Amino acid sequence: MQKSSIQYLGGIDNKDKGVTLTGSATLLKVQGEYQTLSVLIDYGMFQGGLKDSDINQLVDEEALNANCIVLTHAHLDHCGRLPLLVKEGYKNPIFMTDLTKKQIFHILSDHVKIVRYEIDAVSSQNTKKSNLYKRALYIKDMCKRLKENNLSDEDKQKFKSGLLKKLQGKNQSEGLKEAEGLLSAAGIENNGDIEKILQDLPVLFYDEKDIDAMMKLVQKLEIGGEKVLKDYMYITSLDDDDLDKTLQAVKQGYSQPINVDTKLLIPLKTKLNQRIGVTEKAIDENLRITKENNALQEELIEAFNFITEVGQETAREIYDRYMEKLTEYNIESLDDIEKAGEQLYYIKFDLDTLYNTRNQFGGVEIDYQKDIIDAVKLRFLDAGHIEGSIQALITVVTEKIDNCLRSKNPVPLPKKRATHKNLLFTGDLGRFKDPNLAGTPEISDLKLDYLQMETTYAGRVHPEKQESINDFFNAIHKAEGKVVIPCFSMQRTQEILVLLVEQLLEAKNDIPVLKKKSAKLKRIEDELKNLQGGNLEKKRIPARQQAKIDRVLGLKNELKKEIKELKSRCFQYDIILDSPLSTEITNIYTTNLFEKYRLLSNQVQKELLGKPVVDVLLNQSDHNKLYTEKRRNKKEIILSSGGMCQGGSVLNHLKENLGNTQSTIIFVGYCPDNTRGGYIKNKKSIEIEGGLYEIYANVVNINGFSGHLDEEEIFHYFEKSSFARGAKVVLNHGTESRHILANKISEEIFGCRSSVKVLVPSLNDTIEFKL
Ligand SMILES: [Zn+2]
C-alpha cells in the first residue's frame, strides 16, 4: 500500500521565513492504490503585520488542489486565506459548523474593511516617507557637490541656511536628522574634516602686501642708461614675468632705484596702476569669501558640536537608516520614490472574492458526521475555544481506501471486520478549568492513531479565572468616570457582556431589599428626632429615655452599614457596545440556543432588568453624544474593539479618555508589550493616528481571560485520551517551548518504552505513515 502523509503548511513559527505561529494550515493526504484524497484542515492568515503581506499572497499548490477543506473555527489565523484559495480557483466544499459559517463571513468582510483602512494609512505614510527620501536625495546631492566644490552661490546659500534653519528650527529632532545627514554624507567626523572641506573652497591669493609692493615699484621706476645697469635692477619689457620678478624683489626689501627704458616708463606705470586697482578688488572679494568660509566653518562646527553632544553614534545611525532606505528601494531619482511607494502594500482579496467564497461554505453542525467519501469520515468534536469551534476527527476505514479511491468500478469489499484509523486535529482548544461561553473541549473516546494538538500556551499556567473576574469588578466599582474596555470582537466581548449583565441581574434582586431598608432607616431617623427633641433645650434626659435613644441609635448605625453594602452590590451602570463586528457576532449569539447569550437581546434585557442596558453605538454622532460636557465623566462602561488597540473603534475612545484622570482603561485579554495596548500599559504617552496623547487615565491589566488551554490542561487532555499502538502525536501552533513540552509528554504521559512518538515538525515538513 502507498504511504499517506500529513504536511504542515502553517501554524508553526519559523524565524528564517519570519513567520509567527499564525497561518494554521495542515494537509492530510489519504493515499489509495489508484488515487489520493487530500483534506486541508484550516487555511489561516499569517498575522505578523505588514511583513507577512507577501507570504499571505502565496497559495500552496497542494492546498489549491485539495478535495475538501475542514475549518476548525472562525479566527482569522485559521480561515483568513480561504478567499485567496477561491480566488485562485479552488471549487471544492469547505466544511464548518453553522455557527462558524455565520461568523466567518462577518470576520472576513471586517478584515477587508480593515485592510482598506490600512492601505489608506500606509499610503499616507508613503507620502511622508517620500518626503524623507526627497530630502535624503537632496542632501546626498548637496554633499557630493560640496565635496567637488562646484556649488553655485545660490546652492551654497541654500545649503547653509537650510542647515542653520534646521538647527535652530522649532522641531529639533527634524533639524537634527537633517544636520546629521549633511555632516555624515559630507564625511565629517571631526573638526579636521571641516578644515579640509574649507581648503577646497576657492580663496584668492592676493593680499595687502602685493599692493604695497606695487606702489613702491611705481615710485622707484627711473629712466636710466646702460651704465647703471650693473648696479640697479632694470626692466626691459612689459612682460608679466619680468614685472612679477621685480615685484617679488621689492616685496622682499630691495630698496635701490629700478631703471626702465624711456619708452616703457609710462605704459609700465599705467599697467601697475591698473594692477593695483584689480588687486584691491580681489582683496575685497578675498575678504568676502574668507568671511563666508568662516561663517560656514562656524556653522559646521556648531552643527558638529551639536551632534557630538547628542552622540555621533545616533547621528551615524540615523544617517545610515536614511541611506539604507534609499538603497533598499533602489532610489536614485524621484520616479524611483513613486515606485517604492507602490511596492509597500497591496490588498489580499476583495469583497467579490469573499461573496464567491461564501457560496462554498458547506456548514455542518457539531457532532455531525459527514462521509467525505465512504472510506473517510469526518466528525466534529466541541473545542470550547470560541463559539462554533470544533476539533476535526477524521476516521479512515482502511479496507475501503483502495476501493473508494479509484476512478471506476469499485470492487466488493472482503468480508472481514473493517479497521479504523482515527486522526484528530484539535484546532485551538478552550479551557477545562475555566470554560468560556463556548464550553469545555470534548475528549475523544476513540483510540487515536494521530493527534495534532495546539500548544500555544506550552510552558504556562493561567491564573484562576474567578480571581480575574473579582479584579475586573473591583476595577469597575472603583472607577469614577468612563470605563473603556478594549475587547476582541469575537468571544471576549460577548463573555464580558455576559459577566456584566449577570452582575446587573444579581443587583436587581437586591434593589427591593435596599428600598425596604432605606424606608426603614427613614422611620428610625424620624423616631430618633422625636426622642431627641427635648435635647435641643439642653434639659436633662431621663435615664429611661436615654436608654431608648441609645437602642434606636444602635439600630440606625447597623442599618446604615447594611445599606452601604447593599448599595455597592446594587451598583447600576450603562453598558455601551461600540464594535461593529462584535455587534454582528453578538446578534448571532442572541439567536443561538444557549440561554446565556439571550441575556443580550433587548427583549430579554427588558424582561429581566426592566430596561435594555446594552446600548449599541452605530455612528459618529452616537459617539459624540458620549462625550458632551455633561456626560464626559458619567460612569459608563464602553466595550470596544480591538483588544490590542492596534486599530478599530477603540482608538476613538482612547483619544477621549487617556488624558482624563477620571477615566479607567481595563485590559482583559492578551496584549503583548509591542502592541499599542502594551504601550498604554507601560508608557506615559502614546501616538494614535498621528497625534500624541498623554496618559493620565487609570490603566488596569487583568490576566486570566484566555480562550486557550494552558500546560496543565494540555496534560489533562493527554491523560484522558487513549492512543493506539504506534500512534503519532504532533504539537503545533505554539512557540519554541513546545519542544520542551514534547519531551515532558513523552516521558510523563507515554514513558520511554512507549510506541507512541511525540513530534514537533517544522514549517512545511511532511510526515508519512501507513493507514
Ligand atoms: Zn483561535
Side-chain angles (χ1 to χ4, degrees):
M1 188 185 287
Q2 308 285 322
K3 274 185 175 165
S4 295
S5 67
I6 295 179
Q7 193 184 0
Y8 307 93
L9 300 173
I12 292 169
D13 57 333
N14 182 308
K15 287 206 180 76
D16 295 339
K17 292 205 163 180
V19 298
T20 55
L21 58 88
T22 50
S24 281
T26 309
L27 188 78
L28 163 69
K29 277 190 193 169
V30 179
Q31 187 67 53
E33 201 177 339
Y34 307 101
Q35 268 182 305
T36 312
L37 175 88
S38 62
V39 181
L40 180 66
I41 296 108
D42 291 340
Y43 206 55
M45 188 174 284
F46 291 94
Q47 290 181 291
L50 276 182
K51 69 181 170 56
D52 281 350
S53 181
D54 285 349
I55 193 163
N56 278 326
Q57 306 301 318
L58 300 175
V59 167
D60 299 278
E61 199 61 34
E62 302 275 29
L64 201 58
N65 296 326
N67 296 97
C68 70
I69 298 173
V70 179
L71 180 62
T72 61
H73 66 289
H75 273 150
L76 216 50
D77 62 328
H78 290 257
C79 72
R81 280 188 294 161
L82 289 180
L84 200 65
L85 269 188
V86 173
K87 198 176 180 178
E88 295 294 323
Y90 177 82
K91 287 200 171 69
N92 295 327
I94 307 171
F95 299 119
M96 64 195 80
T97 61
D98 276 345
L99 212 53
T100 301
K101 187 176 167 184
K102 282 178 191 162
Q103 293 167 36
I104 185 177
F105 186 69
H106 293 294
I107 294 281
L108 289 170
S109 41
D110 188 65
H111 173 72
V112 174
K113 277 183 227 149
I114 288 172
V115 170
R116 290 257 159 81
Y117 179 82
E118 270 179 32
I119 286 176
D120 286 348
V122 169
S123 71
S124 96
Q125 266 176 24
N126 282 351
T127 316
K128 274 190 211 158
K129 274 184 194 155
S130 297
N131 292 336
L132 201 78
Y133 295 149
K134 279 179 199 159
R135 213 157 63 218
L137 273 182
Y138 165 74
I139 291 167
K140 211 174 149 189
D141 178 54
M142 279 296 173
C143 293
K144 190 168 156 255
R145 284 158 68 197
L146 179 71
K147 273 181 174 168
E148 287 167 0
N149 195 17
N150 60 1
L151 286 178
S152 72
D153 279 354
E154 201 190 332
D155 276 350
K156 232 187 280 175
Q157 204 51 46
K158 250 206 251 165
F159 178 84
K160 284 193 300 181
S161 67
L163 178 64
L164 205 64
K165 208 167 83 198
K166 291 290 177 189
L167 282 175
Q168 296 165 341
K170 279 180 205 157
N171 190 338
Q172 267 211 337
S173 69
E174 276 286 295
L176 179 63
K177 259 189 231 162
E178 189 89 25
E180 280 154 358
L182 286 169
L183 286 178
S184 299
I188 296 174
E189 297 283 348
N190 53 46
N191 281 334
D193 292 337
I194 296 176
E195 270 155 33
K196 239 163 92 195
I197 286 181
L198 294 175
Q199 273 168 20
D200 296 338
L201 294 175
V203 178
L204 297 177
F205 51 85
Y206 292 120
D207 62 17
E208 298 285 343
K209 274 187 189 156
D210 295 300
I211 295 190
D212 210 36
M214 282 187 273
M215 305 268 258
K216 274 185 190 153
L217 186 57
V218 174
Q219 283 163 16
K220 284 179 199 301
L221 289 175
E222 279 178 22
I223 298 172
E226 285 200 21
K227 191 168 114 291
V228 289
L229 280 182
K230 290 170 196 161
D231 302 314
Y232 304 118
M233 289 193 78
Y234 187 74
I235 299 178
T236 56
S237 75
L238 281 172
D239 276 359
D240 278 339
D241 275 2
D242 252 6
L243 199 61
D244 283 343
K245 252 185 244 162
T246 321
L247 268 173
Q248 205 55 32
V250 175
K251 241 177 134 176
Q252 281 166 10
Y254 174 81
S255 59
Q256 302 297 318
I258 295 165
N259 288 332
V260 67
D261 204 58
T262 315
K263 57 180 190 256
L264 279 180
L265 184 66
I266 301 300
L268 206 54
K269 278 193 174 178
T270 313
K271 189 172 181 174
L272 272 167
N273 279 329
Q274 272 172 359
R275 252 188 135 168
I276 286 169
V278 170
T279 307
E280 270 171 353
K281 268 191 197 153
I283 285 171
D284 281 351
E285 179 66 6
N286 201 12
L287 272 177
R288 196 185 62 78
I289 293 173
T290 311
K291 225 167 126 191
E292 210 172 82
N293 284 351
N294 285 344
L296 175 62
Q297 180 167 10
E298 259 170 46
E299 281 164 23
L300 287 173
I301 289 171
E302 196 185 332
F304 177 74
N305 289 340
F306 180 61
I307 287 160
T308 318
E309 239 172 72
V310 296
Q312 185 73 7
E313 282 284 299
T314 327
R316 199 76 235 182
E317 237 172 64
I318 294 175
Y319 169 71
D320 287 345
R321 229 181 293 148
Y322 245 158
M323 291 302 144
E324 200 183 290
K325 283 283 159 205
L326 288 178
T327 326
E328 183 184 336
Y329 293 111
N330 236 341
I331 292 173
E332 292 285 341
S333 68
L334 292 182
D335 283 354
D336 295 338
I337 292 174
E338 304 290 315
K339 267 186 240 151
E342 282 166 25
Q343 282 166 13
L344 285 180
Y345 206 85
Y346 44 99
I347 194 159
K348 297 172 184 86
F349 56 86
D350 50 25
L351 280 173
D352 285 347
T353 314
L354 199 52
Y355 285 111
N356 287 336
T357 316
R358 184 159 70 164
N359 296 337
Q360 261 154 289
F361 296 165
V364 289
E365 286 186 16
I366 291 186
D367 277 340
Y368 188 90
Q369 180 129 357
K370 171 116 201 152
D371 288 358
I372 297 174
I373 54 173
D374 196 27
V376 180
K377 296 169 189 302
L378 170 67
R379 189 179 138 201
F380 288 169
L381 305 181
D382 207 337
H385 170 57
I386 63 168
E387 264 291 62
S389 64
I390 54 100
Q391 311 172 60
L393 179 66
I394 293 175
T395 301
V396 180
V397 187
T398 310
E399 284 79 6
K400 287 189 181 175
I401 295 175
D402 284 344
N403 202 35
C404 292
L405 291 177
R406 62 157 61 222
S407 41
K408 293 172 213 159
N409 308 329
V411 289
L413 280 175
K415 283 188 179 152
K416 64 169 187 175
R417 249 184 90 197
T419 317
H420 293 83
K421 297 270 181 181
N422 296 310
L423 318 174
L424 181 57
F425 302 81
T426 67
D428 289 355
L429 286 172
R431 308 203 54 194
F432 290 97
K433 274 195 283 186
D434 295 310
N436 56 30
L437 301 183
T440 319
E442 187 181 338
I443 295 175
S444 168
D445 49 4
L446 301 169
K447 269 198 181 323
L448 298 175
D449 295 276
Y450 173 87
L451 172 68
Q452 180 174 317
M453 172 90 173
E454 83 116 322
T455 52
T456 305
Y457 283 104
R460 276 202 259 173
V461 177
H462 296 314
E464 290 290 331
K465 179 88 151 278
Q466 192 51 49
E467 271 174 37
S468 307
I469 294 174
N470 293 346
D471 290 346
F472 174 72
F473 279 108
N474 277 340
I476 286 178
H477 285 305
K478 266 195 229 154
E480 288 166 352
K482 295 246 184 303
V483 179
V484 178
I485 307 176
C487 242
F488 292 119
S489 308
M490 265 215 292
Q491 186 75 33
R492 190 60 40 80
T493 298
Q494 289 73 27
E495 197 177 349
I496 298 292
L497 272 174
V498 167
L499 276 178
L500 289 169
V501 174
E502 274 180 350
Q503 178 83 359
L504 286 175
L505 268 177
E506 247 175 63
K508 190 186 162 244
N509 298 330
D510 286 332
I511 287 171
V513 185
L514 177 69
K515 272 190 186 156
K516 241 190 203 161
K517 296 210 173 195
S518 298
K520 192 175 173 193
L521 179 68
K522 195 163 179 304
R523 282 200 307 276
I524 287 179
E525 278 172 343
D526 287 347
E527 191 187 344
L528 206 58
K529 228 186 249 166
N530 280 337
L531 284 170
Q532 288 173 328
N535 203 25
L536 289 172
E537 289 135 47
K538 294 201 172 161
K539 280 181 190 161
R540 204 174 157 271
I541 302 168
R544 252 186 73 202
Q545 197 186 349
Q546 184 60 49
K548 203 175 175 191
I549 289 177
D550 288 348
R551 193 176 53 82
V552 177
L553 210 59
L555 268 178
K556 181 190 147 185
N557 287 339
E558 208 168 286
L559 205 55
K560 262 189 154 176
K561 228 163 99 189
E562 284 173 30
I563 287 173
K564 195 180 165 196
E565 210 209 296
L566 264 175
K567 266 189 177 165
S568 81
R569 288 220 307 265
C570 292
F571 163 67
Q572 294 283 305
Y573 39 74
D574 289 321
I575 305 165
I576 317 282
L577 178 59
D578 183 14
S579 171
L581 175 61
S582 79
T583 306
E584 296 287 353
I585 301 287
T586 304
N587 283 336
I588 294 169
Y589 288 170
T590 57
T591 54
N592 195 18
L593 294 170
F594 300 94
E595 187 61 34
K596 268 190 171 180
Y597 312 129
R598 298 214 291 130
L599 286 179
L600 304 178
S601 81
N602 270 3
Q603 203 195 335
V604 177
Q605 283 181 48
K606 258 189 220 162
E607 261 168 46
L608 295 170
L609 294 157
K611 62 163 190 166
V613 288
V614 183
D615 195 2
V616 176
L617 284 203
L618 294 173
N619 54 35
Q620 187 62 37
S621 101
D622 287 347
H623 170 91
N624 292 345
K625 272 183 221 153
L626 283 185
Y627 296 103
T628 54
E629 213 41 59
K630 221 174 123 196
R631 207 170 153 186
R632 175 166 297 275
N633 288 326
K634 186 173 178 232
K635 188 159 174 173
E636 285 169 319
I637 296 168
I638 301 162
L639 294 173
S640 188
S641 59
M644 301 185 198
C645 305
Q646 298 291 75
S649 58
V650 73
L651 295 185
N652 297 328
H653 298 289
L654 290 175
K655 285 182 197 169
E656 299 279 0
N657 290 290
L658 281 176
N660 189 346
T661 51
Q662 304 277 299
S663 302
T664 304
I665 321 286
I666 306 181
F667 288 95
V668 285
Y670 179 62
C671 194
D673 285 348
N674 59 357
T675 59
R676 191 183 272 114
Y679 291 139
I680 292 172
K681 287 193 272 180
N682 301 321
K683 297 197 171 182
K684 287 190 173 130
S685 63
I686 182 84
E687 183 269 321
I688 302 172
E689 291 173 349
L692 194 70
Y693 295 82
E694 308 255 347
I695 303 168
Y696 294 113
N698 182 28
V699 179
V700 183
N701 185 34
I702 312 247
N703 291 318
F705 277 87
S706 179
H708 294 264
L709 75 183
D710 64 13
E711 189 163 306
E712 278 180 14
E713 289 160 316
I714 292 174
F715 269 88
H716 172 77
Y717 191 101
F718 274 100
E719 278 157 7
K720 298 283 173 195
S721 304
S722 50
F723 295 87
R725 258 193 67 79
K728 287 187 169 63
V729 168
V730 162
L731 306 185
N732 78 336
H733 208 301
T735 52
E736 284 297 303
S737 49
R738 69 190 189 280
H739 291 272
I740 301 167
L741 180 68
N743 286 335
K744 242 169 126 180
I745 290 172
S746 280
E747 283 168 21
E748 291 173 28
I749 301 283
F750 299 112
C752 52
R753 284 200 204 148
S754 169
S755 62
V756 178
K757 290 271 166 302
V758 184
L759 308 168
V760 181
S762 298
L763 191 65
N764 290 327
D765 275 2
T766 303
I767 62 165
E768 290 189 334
F769 50 88
K770 274 187 182 171
L771 281 174

